[in-house]
Amino acid sequence: MNASKKIAVAGATGRLGRHVVDVLNEQGHEVVAFSRANGVDIETGAGLVEALAGVDVVIDASSTPSADKDVATAFFTAAARNLHEAGHQAGVERLVVVSIIGIDSTVAGYNAAKLTHEQELAKGPLPVQILRAAQFHELVEVMTQWGTQGEVAYLPNMRTQLVAARAVAEKLVEMAVNPAPETPDGPFPEIAGPQPETMAGAAALLAARRGDAIEVREVSDPANPDRQRFEDGTLLPGSHATLAGPTFAKWLETTHPTR
């Protein structure tokens, strides 16, 4: 068992952050869980210095609900700068941040904003560890909602290796409570699920599990400049990735009980 640490979690009430908080509590660490809901805003910096007093490590699991590149970029740029500034002022050792597999050459939407986020994080005074993750199991429902028109759900042709947010949280905590590598050079660490899947295939499994009367159609959007990256396997993990279960189908069995 690692010695107990005081660890702050940004985005603590979100899709990933709530799992990070659970894992930290289960391991007996002192958790400073914050979000806009309790008056701490990493985009504006409000309340951040006070929240980080005495904190050893910050895990940034924050996100923005907007998939718009400009909106998301503004959020992540401000968040990176504010966490560095407030963390440095409070004496934080380092930041541990989640990002996305395969975004190196992306140019559009949320993925491009996360690439800018990584670049901004590299400019600050604090050491930063970045974990690149595959798309979460939990994202399938969101993308299905976005793509539903009437009785048809249009899902992008996307090859991925879906992973549970809980598994990503466990890896982030592992990174935060253990010493950082002395030689951080090399590819970013990655985490993904146990097998390649498609977003449309996962959406079809979700619809069937819930008994939804919708048809799932996989579509290729020629207007998306990142279309090839979605379709050619760029979003799949590298050989160095940590693979963690469950598969999407197994995850559905536990999170969406049959009626």
Side-chain angles (χ1 to χ4, degrees):
M1 178 80 178
N2 293 293
S4 177
K5 289 180 175 289
K6 186 174 183 179
I7 299 178
V9 182
T13 59
R15 189 174 294 115
L16 173 62
R18 61 187 178 87
H19 289 291
V20 175
V21 171
D22 287 346
V23 175
L24 287 167
N25 282 326
E26 289 164 11
Q27 294 186 8
H29 299 286
E30 183 178 355
V31 183
V32 179
F34 60 80
S35 65
R36 286 193 180 103
N38 58 9
V40 182
D41 191 331
I42 65 171
E43 187 172 12
T44 65
L48 198 51
V49 173
E50 296 80 3
L52 297 182
V55 165
D56 298 306
V57 179
V58 176
I59 297 177
D60 182 8
S62 64
S63 187
T64 170
S66 176
D68 179 83
K69 177 182 176 181
D70 293 338
V71 173
T73 296
F75 171 81
F76 287 123
T77 299
R81 293 173 180 170
N82 288 331
L83 281 175
H84 269 297
E85 181 178 342
H88 183 64
Q89 185 174 336
V92 169
E93 296 172 7
R94 55 195 160 98
L95 309 177
V96 177
V97 186
V98 68
S99 190
I100 305 170
I101 289 172
I103 61 172
D104 293 288
S105 57
T106 195
V107 297
Y110 187 89
N111 285 10
K114 284 299 291 185
L115 181 60
T116 300
H117 189 204
E118 292 181 355
Q119 295 164 348
E120 288 297 322
L121 286 165
K123 298 176 183 178
L126 296 177
V128 179
Q129 291 175 272
I130 292 174
L131 173 67
R132 283 185 169 181
Q135 285 66 36
F136 298 164
H137 291 331
E138 291 84 348
L139 182 62
V140 177
E141 184 170 10
V142 176
M143 293 190 69
T144 301
Q145 291 170 348
W146 286 346
T148 297
Q149 299 177 26
E151 296 182 354
V152 179
Y154 299 92
L155 275 293
N157 182 346
M158 178 188 291
R159 297 175 62 201
T160 179
Q161 201 149 318
L162 293 164
V163 66
R166 168 74 189 206
V168 178
E170 290 171 352
K171 186 64 177 179
L172 286 168
V173 170
E174 177 187 316
M175 292 169 65
V177 303
N178 286 293
E182 294 183 6
T183 55
D185 296 335
F188 290 122
E190 296 179 350
I191 185 167
Q195 66 185 33
E197 307 192 64
T198 67
M199 191 60 69
L205 288 175
L206 174 64
R209 185 76 182 179
R210 298 195 308 191
D212 293 342
I214 62 171
E215 175 191 354
V216 175
R217 294 183 191 172
E218 186 175 70
V219 294
S220 183
D221 181 5
N224 180 3
D226 289 326
R227 177 183 63 169
Q228 181 177 346
R229 299 173 182 85
F230 280 19
E231 298 177 4
D232 68 6
T234 297
L235 301 182
L236 295 174
S239 59
H240 67 290
T242 297
L243 303 184
T247 63
F248 184 72
K250 286 291 186 183
W251 178 82
L252 277 179
E253 291 178 6
T254 59
T255 58
H256 292 71
T258 54
R259 298 169 183 172

